Amino acid sequence: MIKNIALFFSQARENFTTTGAIAPSSPSLGRAITWPLGLRSSNPIRVLEVGPGTGAFTSRILEHLRPGDRFEIYELNARFCRYLRQTLPFERLLSKGIECRLYNADVRSISAGLQFDYIVCSLPFNNFEPELVTEILAVLIDRLAAQGVLSYFEYNLSHEFKSKFLKPQDRQRMIAVGRVVRAFIDRHQVGYRQVWLNLPPARARYCRKDVTV
Ligand SMILES: C[S@@+](CC[C@H](N)C(=O)[O-])C[C@H]1O[C@@H](n2cnc3c(N)ncnc32)[C@H](O)[C@@H]1O
């Protein structure tokens, strides 16, 4: 636990743009973001996790998996990947018939033909350029199965709060990111949960490819 917090903190200092937080997410946010998996059917499912960090959500996702399921994890940061390779129970999962693969790669490199029933994404969109956010959201929604659910979170008030303290150029970037994310929410969101027990408080959002289906 201490090792995982120390690693997260060191990576936040070294790579704040991609890490986007100073501490791992709380168990409450973990429960909220993985909540849709609790509604899964008994048929095998395909799950994608993007940006697991030290695995705050990964362990919760594993609790929902059953024989025949397939779980893919994309993490950009090599230090986080090394930590996950040492701590995730790959062999035990395989012996139960659950295929789990961890890629030290950008989520944008995920094969075009793949489709997932559940996607859990923790990327810090507010730290990115708007073009990158547009590109990543397009990849995520493209890889989501027709009846699938994409969960992601955002910190409360991050746009309004951060933009007051930013240089004008960064403020413009955040406003533009806010517009991209808002348009995505308007088109794809089917619900959300407010989580106060997280540092900072956050909102878990649930999205579908087509909200009219
Ligand atoms: C806010 S941290 C979330 C960590 C963890 N899920 C949690 O909630 O405690 C964001 C994570 O996304 C990863 N990341 C950032 N950009 C990425 C990308 N393009 N593809 C895959 N992972 C990425 C970072 O390295 C980091 O581990």
Side-chain angles (χ1 to χ4, degrees):
M1 177 71 172
I2 299 213
K3 197 175 161 198
N4 122 23
I5 293 175
L7 172 62
F8 201 101
F9 190 63
S10 79
Q11 293 311 294
R13 280 199 342 197
E14 280 177 34
N15 308 294
F16 190 71
T17 303
T18 52
T19 308
I22 52 160
S25 298
S26 69
S28 300
L29 184 54
R31 273 192 294 279
I33 202 140
T34 57
W35 167 78
L37 279 150
L39 308 174
R40 63 163 294 173
S41 73
S42 54
N43 296 330
I45 55 170
R46 294 147 302 172
V47 183
L48 169 67
E49 182 178 12
V50 184
T54 51
F57 302 154
T58 318
S59 48
R60 303 234 158 236
I61 293 171
L62 292 179
E63 288 169 14
H64 292 282
L65 299 184
R66 299 183 190 163
D69 292 346
R70 187 182 170 125
F71 181 26
E72 303 215 350
I73 308 170
Y74 277 70
E75 172 54 64
L76 194 60
N77 181 309
R79 293 281 308 277
F80 285 145
C81 268
R82 207 179 316 147
Y83 177 84
L84 292 170
R85 281 196 206 291
Q86 288 163 359
T87 52
L88 293 180
F90 291 100
E91 280 178 23
R92 184 160 54 80
L93 290 168
L94 199 59
S95 72
K96 286 165 100 183
I98 299 167
E99 198 180 326
C100 176
R101 293 201 177 171
L102 168 64
Y103 300 92
N104 182 193
D106 189 310
V107 64
R108 288 173 295 164
S109 67
I110 193 163
S111 307
L114 293 177
Q115 292 279 281
F116 294 89
D117 303 295
Y118 297 92
I119 300 179
V120 173
C121 172
S122 314
L123 299 190
F125 293 129
N126 283 324
N127 286 11
F128 297 165
E129 292 297 327
E131 296 77 16
L132 178 59
V133 177
T134 303
E135 208 183 319
I136 292 175
L137 288 173
V139 168
L140 293 179
I141 214 70
D142 180 70
R143 306 308 190 271
L144 189 66
Q147 303 297 328
V149 182
L150 158 67
S151 315
Y152 78 94
F153 73 89
E154 61 187 18
Y155 297 123
N156 285 119
L157 297 178
S158 48
H159 288 112
E160 296 85 342
F161 183 76
K162 274 193 181 170
S163 61
K164 287 197 177 31
F165 300 97
L166 292 173
K167 292 183 231 142
Q169 191 186 342
D170 278 339
R171 193 176 308 133
Q172 289 311 317
R173 181 189 61 73
M174 272 201 83
I175 290 169
V177 168
R179 281 202 197 104
V180 170
V181 172
R182 187 72 246 169
F184 184 83
I185 290 169
D186 288 346
R187 185 153 175 215
H188 296 288
Q189 180 174 287
V190 288
Y192 71 85
R193 281 189 176 189
Q194 175 60 40
V195 180
W196 295 109
L197 286 177
N198 191 69
L199 194 68
R203 190 165 278 191
R205 297 192 182 274
Y206 312 113
C207 302
R208 281 192 185 277
K209 195 168 206 145
D210 181 353
V211 293
T212 60
V213 175

